[in-house]
Amino acid sequence: EPEVTQTPSHQVTQMGQEVILRCVPISNHLYFYWYRQILGQKVEFLVSFYNNEISEKSEIFDDQFSVERPDGSNFTLKIRSTKLEDSAMYFCATPGGMNTEAFFGQGTRLTVV
Amino acid sequence: DAKTTQPNSMESNEEEPVHLPCNHSTISGTDYIHWYRQLPSQGPEYVIHGLTSNVNNRMASLAIAEDRKSSTLILHRATLRDAAVYYCILRDPFTSGTYKYIFGTGTRLKVLA
């Protein structure tokens, strides 16, 4: 069973619509990361979330994005009004420790049309 | 964060060893060297990491140069399933205060049957 499960695996949405991507870790992590990968490009850091607050965010993570931990067991990434350029794979991940690995989810492929 | 340099692509024959190089000449004394790989349409997957000494696990070996300015990921017997993009990443949460990974473009490994 994977450490991190993401749903949905693929989402198609119309431009301007809101989408919510979900991530469920097996263990009770307080700390979570979201990354994005546009097709053919690098994996890019979006935001880190610790104990129900954003601890760090990149320039990509603008006001259209938000993160939550709605019920204590899963994490969500919301894009309020999607743009064509939001089309990408979105990965959530545990942080890993000083000397331990991170676990990445299998990703959600978001297609904005 | 210190940068890493990897070849864009490499090829290997199935069941032969593969040596994937990584240069990191500006590495600091507290940077850990991490290797992840990304299979097609999947999230990054942990391979191995180390600080100073060579490391072995069930997936691979990591050989770290004595001056730590370069390292080599060794897959002892490549299989078709090892075809992926391999990322060499330096991370130092203690100094940087963050556990995020900064991905480069990695090395795309092609395994020939």
Side-chain angles (χ1 to χ4, degrees), chain A residues 33 35 37 42-43 45 56 89 91 95-102 104-106 109, chain B residues 32 34 36 38 41-44 46 49 87 91 93-94 98-101 103-105:
Chain A
Y33 283 71
Y35 294 80
Q37 186 176 31
K42 299 179 192 179
V43 177
F45 166 75
E56 186 182 3
M89 285 288 288
F91 300 106
M98 283 291 293
N99 196 20
T100 55
E101 70 269 32
F104 286 77
Q106 292 297 88
R109 180 176 298 282
Chain B
Y32 280 82
H34 292 252
Y36 281 77
Q38 189 174 22
S41 301
Q42 294 193 28
Y46 171 78
H49 77 284
Y87 300 100
R91 193 176 80 157
F94 181 74
T98 176
Y99 286 84
K100 72 184 179 201
Y101 285 95
F103 288 80
T105 51

Side-chain angles (χ1 to χ4, degrees), chain B residues 16-86:
Chain B
E16 289 189 357
V18 184
H19 290 233
L20 298 166
C22 182
N23 287 321
H24 29 78
S25 58
T26 59
I27 191 171
S28 74
T30 47
D31 277 323
Y32 280 82
I33 303 161
H34 292 252
W35 284 82
Y36 281 77
R37 71 180 185 180
Q38 189 174 22
L39 302 170
S41 301
Q42 294 193 28
E45 174 189 33
Y46 171 78
V47 178
I48 201 166
H49 77 284
L51 184 61
T52 55
S53 306
N54 294 342
V55 185
N56 298 298
N57 66 20
R58 62 176 180 81
M59 287 182 74
S61 295
L62 176 60
I64 301 173
E66 206 169 317
D67 63 6
R68 300 209 327 125
K69 293 186 176 182
S70 65
S71 59
T72 303
L73 177 70
I74 303 164
L75 307 180
H76 296 285
R77 285 182 72 219
T79 69
L80 296 177
R81 287 210 51 207
D82 291 322
V85 179
Y86 287 78

Side-chain angles (χ1 to χ4, degrees), chain A residues 4-75:
Chain A
V4 179
T5 302
Q6 289 188 244
T7 56
S9 56
H10 190 187
Q11 172 127 21
V12 180
T13 189
Q14 290 207 322
M15 196 167 53
Q17 295 296 303
E18 174 184 283
V19 295
I20 298 176
L21 312 181
R22 291 186 168 79
C23 185
V24 182
I26 285 184
S27 307
N28 191 23
H29 291 278
L30 294 177
Y31 219 151
F32 235 69
Y33 283 71
W34 287 95
Y35 294 80
R36 177 183 85 172
Q37 186 176 31
I38 294 171
L39 186 64
Q41 297 188 23
K42 299 179 192 179
V43 177
E44 302 172 285
F45 166 75
L46 281 177
V47 65
S48 61
F49 192 68
Y50 175 68
N51 207 25
N52 296 318
E53 287 186 6
I54 291 174
S55 57
E56 186 182 3
K57 61 182 182 179
S58 72
E59 291 177 355
I60 303 167
F61 194 87
D62 61 23
D63 292 343
Q64 293 297 316
F65 291 90
S66 63
V67 286
E68 284 184 354
R69 195 177 180 209
D71 60 10
S73 65
N74 69 87
F75 296 82

